[in-house]
Amino acid sequence: MFPLTVENKHVAQLLLSTGTCPRCIFRFCGVDFHAPYKLPYKELLSELQKFLEAEEDELVSEIPNPPPKKIRLQEPEDQIDGMDSLSQNGEGKLSVTEDGSSSSKNSNLNVCNVCLGILQDFCEKEFIKKVCQKVEASGFEFTNLVLSVSFPPQLSVREHAAWLLVKQEMGKQSLSLGRNDIVQLKEAYKWITHPLFSEELGVPIDGKSLFEVSVVFAHPETVEDCHFLRAICPDCFKPAKNKQSVFTRMAVMKALNKIKEEDFRKQFPCPPNSPKAVCTVLEIECAHGAVFVAGRYNKYSRNLPQTPWIIDGERKLESSVEELISDHLLKVFKAESFNFSSSGREDVDVRTLGNGRPFAIELVNPHRVHFTSQEIKELQQKINNSSNKIQVRDLQLVTREAIGHMKEGEEEKTKTYSALIWTNKAIQRKDIEFLDDIKDLKIDQKTPLRVLHRRPLAVRTRIIHSMETCYVDEHHFRLYLKTQAGTYIKEFVHGDFGRTKPNIGSLMDVTADILELDVESVDVDWPPALDD
Ligand SMILES: [Zn+2]
């Protein structure tokens, strides 16, 4: 059934004669069910014309004081002429009005004067197919998608003009129409195109999908249509570094909210002029939201930094833990870039043994995202086969939220270390045994000299929960420590010129130094351990 009623007839007639497309006419008549919008454009147009002609006689008898047909049909033109003279009186500079009047005389109804073609060709199957070809060629793996569409900024201006016109015309018929009764262009576009996209790509449209297809429309007459707003509301159009034009959608909306109705009417024709051109497609872009991979790593080298070690632009060591892991992930996930994070970090010369250190990697804009647990296992194997400096375990896909577990309560966690210690004085077994009995030793650590360039100066209290010694020879022993996370172990051994108190040297009354340090365990129970 044709969705317009007798009440809509006058407005529909007016809009059609001024170059508005049938779908925009539906929108401004408040048609809020989807089916009529989905009809083929040509069919819609002829249905609409039939409706406007056929019921003309019946209409006359239904409306108490119908304006004579002749006048009514002329009205749109009168309106345009009236607007022209108003605009020229107001702002003679506006080329929009000159162009508009000429195009209205040519009665060029091809490109809709409100949607600039968005609800015409850009809703048709042919266009949707073109977009879908791009999506398929992009090489992304997806099982659903979210569609984002960006329209040229002046659509809001034209929409506003059409709304003022419709409101006024409805008022003349003692009918009221609220701004919210009009169907938004975006909504109508969605109703028409979502089923087409879904059908063409064979996946559902899902607002929560991580795969986003964005279509950006532009129009050559944006500046022409919008510049009067800048004259009235210069504050709304301040140049921004990352914007090519001051006429952004947000700025235009802001200005439209500020401008008074009568001022708008003086500056912009209601109904809007027919445009010279149709919208262009500025870009069709696909992007996939980040995915996250977590695991635990061991580091067996005393010559490998955790992250690339670069001083004054010069690389000090050729590799790093994060690169040895992430390079493989980048390739397999076909991602653009990555972000590495971990539960704490070790120095370049410190090994991480035991169960390893939890880490997580964010893969940005990945093209491949679906993996079986077998494939992830193989990926882990590949990483482990490629280097003897690191090993990875418990590699798995995780959610963004889960990464929080790794950082949660990091300060309260404990870590265990093994240190090889040298003393200047000769020692016997009995000289170190007392360390085994010390429990929950409180130490004060001033920010170590070696990290002062990147950490603020502070005194932190840390706890050495327990120690265990193993005598090696007269000048060496091994010390196993269980400490609060965040303890500087090297400084606890040598004292850092008295900045850490007490320290092994002061406790033993010797000069002590640390020759080797290993992290034996990081007590964070995330990510979950996997079989094998
Ligand atoms: Zn339209």
Side-chain angles (χ1 to χ4, degrees):
M1 224 195 86
F2 198 72
L4 298 186
T5 64
V6 170
E7 283 185 352
N8 303 132
K9 195 155 186 179
H10 173 65
V11 163
Q13 178 72 67
L14 176 60
L15 288 173
L16 186 68
S17 65
T18 57
T20 306
C21 76
R23 290 181 177 123
C24 280
I25 292 174
F26 285 173
R27 294 197 298 119
F28 280 90
C29 291
V31 175
D32 62 356
F33 41 107
H34 306 191
Y37 292 91
K38 295 185 195 169
L39 291 171
Y41 189 78
K42 276 189 183 149
E43 197 177 313
L44 264 180
L45 191 60
S46 81
E47 288 284 312
L48 181 62
Q49 277 160 345
K50 237 188 279 170
F51 165 79
L52 292 174
E53 285 157 18
E55 291 181 25
E56 196 61 42
D57 297 337
E58 295 164 39
L59 190 65
V60 174
S61 60
E62 280 172 28
I63 290 185
N65 293 311
K69 187 178 174 185
K70 216 173 123 200
I71 291 177
R72 196 144 27 110
L73 288 175
Q74 281 173 348
E75 201 168 33
E77 275 172 34
D78 294 345
Q79 191 83 24
I80 288 168
D81 290 347
M83 273 299 137
D84 279 352
S85 57
L86 262 181
S87 304
Q88 277 157 5
N89 290 343
E91 281 278 294
K93 294 170 279 186
L94 291 182
S95 57
V96 180
T97 45
E98 288 155 27
D99 297 328
S101 59
S102 69
S103 63
S104 70
K105 267 166 207 154
N106 297 339
S107 65
N108 175 13
L109 298 182
N110 284 333
V111 181
C112 173
N113 64 340
V114 183
C115 70
L116 301 175
I118 297 287
L119 294 184
Q120 297 171 300
D121 284 354
F122 294 115
C123 278
E124 299 295 307
K125 262 202 169 139
E126 209 178 313
F127 175 70
I128 306 297
K129 272 195 176 155
K130 227 174 80 187
V131 176
C132 291
Q133 277 164 10
K134 278 237 169 191
V135 172
E136 270 156 1
S138 70
F140 279 95
E141 187 180 72
F142 57 96
T143 51
N144 50 26
L145 75 137
V146 59
L147 195 69
S148 86
V149 184
S150 157
F151 298 133
Q154 83 260 44
L155 277 186
S156 311
V157 179
R158 289 174 169 270
E159 192 92 355
H160 191 67
W163 150 246
L164 292 181
L165 173 76
V166 169
K167 191 174 75 164
Q168 176 185 305
E169 291 305 315
M170 296 291 274
K172 282 184 195 164
Q173 298 175 67
S174 313
L175 297 167
S176 74
L177 181 77
R179 190 78 168 87
N180 294 335
D181 295 332
I182 291 172
V183 172
Q184 296 292 309
L185 179 62
K186 236 178 192 151
E187 280 297 295
Y189 191 74
K190 229 162 67 177
W191 296 344
I192 304 162
T193 61
H194 277 194
L196 296 175
F197 274 110
S198 200
E199 188 188 332
E200 191 67 28
L201 292 168
V203 298
I205 306 274
D206 179 353
K208 286 183 184 143
S209 174
L210 286 176
F211 181 59
E212 183 179 19
V213 175
S214 58
V215 182
V216 178
F217 291 102
H219 195 275
E221 291 152 55
T222 296
V223 175
E224 269 176 62
D225 278 357
C226 295
H227 77 161
F228 76 98
L229 287 170
R230 191 186 196 175
I232 296 167
C233 188
D235 282 357
C236 298
F237 300 96
K238 288 194 175 126
K241 261 187 204 160
N242 52 346
K243 301 280 181 207
Q244 285 186 327
S245 163
V246 293
F247 298 110
T248 61
R249 212 178 65 86
M250 290 306 286
V252 168
M253 296 283 279
K254 206 169 146 194
L256 285 176
N257 273 330
K258 277 190 171 178
I259 189 170
K260 284 194 201 115
E261 194 173 315
E262 65 252 42
D263 292 336
F264 183 90
R265 282 173 177 281
K266 274 179 213 158
Q267 303 290 336
F268 198 84
C270 304
N273 297 318
S274 285
K276 279 171 286 184
V278 71
C279 283
T280 56
V281 181
L282 202 59
E283 58 184 41
I284 300 168
E285 266 190 357
C286 302
H288 201 292
V291 295
F292 298 84
V293 172
R296 304 173 80 94
Y297 73 82
N298 290 123
K299 169 161 113 61
Y300 298 121
S301 168
R302 295 199 188 280
N303 201 23
L304 182 70
Q306 193 201 39
T307 51
W309 190 11
I310 294 157
I311 297 172
D312 296 333
E314 196 189 325
R315 194 151 184 159
K316 293 293 175 191
L317 286 167
E318 65 175 20
S319 195
S320 65
V321 172
E322 68 160 44
E323 286 163 292
L324 288 175
I325 302 172
S326 301
D327 286 354
H328 294 276
L329 297 185
L330 273 185
K331 261 184 229 151
V332 172
F333 283 76
K334 294 182 185 161
E336 216 170 79
S337 59
F338 69 87
N339 293 305
F340 182 92
S341 60
S342 63
S343 179
R345 55 188 303 153
E346 65 279 309
D347 290 341
V348 58
D349 56 350
V350 173
R351 299 188 300 176
T352 295
L353 308 175
N355 275 336
R357 184 188 296 282
F359 69 90
I361 294 168
E362 174 183 17
L363 292 151
V364 178
N365 202 18
H367 284 58
R368 236 204 108 184
V369 292
H370 296 289
F371 295 90
T372 63
S373 52
Q374 183 57 37
E375 284 173 314
I376 296 288
K377 217 178 257 180
E378 284 164 17
L379 176 57
Q380 174 175 304
Q381 201 55 53
K382 205 171 166 188
I383 294 169
N384 290 343
N385 290 344
S386 69
S387 170
N388 53 11
K389 293 181 174 173
I390 60 141
Q391 289 287 287
V392 168
R393 78 184 70 205
D394 300 334
L395 196 70
Q396 54 197 283
L397 288 163
V398 297
T399 61
R400 182 192 289 271
E401 292 71 35
I403 298 208
H405 300 312
M406 193 173 73
K407 296 279 175 193
E408 255 166 38
E410 214 172 37
E411 293 280 286
E412 288 78 50
K413 303 283 176 181
T414 60
K415 297 197 176 179
T416 54
Y417 299 89
S418 155
L420 181 62
I421 294 169
W422 168 88
T423 59
N424 65 333
K425 289 184 198 164
I427 50 164
Q428 302 297 317
R429 275 173 209 277
K430 63 176 172 47
D431 296 326
I432 54 173
E433 275 168 358
F434 76 100
L435 292 171
D436 295 351
D437 299 326
I438 296 176
K439 298 286 173 244
D440 294 327
L441 173 70
K442 258 193 199 168
I443 62 167
D444 290 324
Q445 295 201 298
K446 250 190 217 171
T447 305
L449 289 173
R450 67 188 166 95
V451 299
L452 254 185
H453 64 282
R454 57 187 166 91
R455 294 274 164 84
L457 178 61
V459 179
R460 294 184 189 80
T461 300
R462 288 287 181 269
I463 295 176
I464 310 292
H465 294 297
S466 61
M467 290 183 276
E468 211 183 305
T469 54
C470 180
Y471 185 80
V472 177
D473 61 34
E474 281 194 336
H475 287 282
H476 299 92
F477 71 98
R478 201 162 267 286
L479 180 68
Y480 299 96
L481 311 97
K482 188 169 185 169
T483 75
Q484 183 183 358
T487 307
Y488 292 107
I489 305 300
K490 288 175 179 172
E491 282 68 20
F492 172 61
V493 173
H494 61 58
D496 201 21
F497 304 99
R499 299 165 69 85
T500 288
K501 283 182 199 160
N503 55 65
I504 291 292
S506 71
L507 291 168
M508 291 177 62
D509 196 20
V510 297
T511 297
D513 202 0
I514 183 162
L515 302 181
E516 286 175 8
L517 180 63
D518 294 326
V519 178
E520 292 287 345
S521 84
V522 180
D523 300 337
V524 174
D525 51 5
W526 188 90
L530 301 179
D531 299 338
D532 296 339

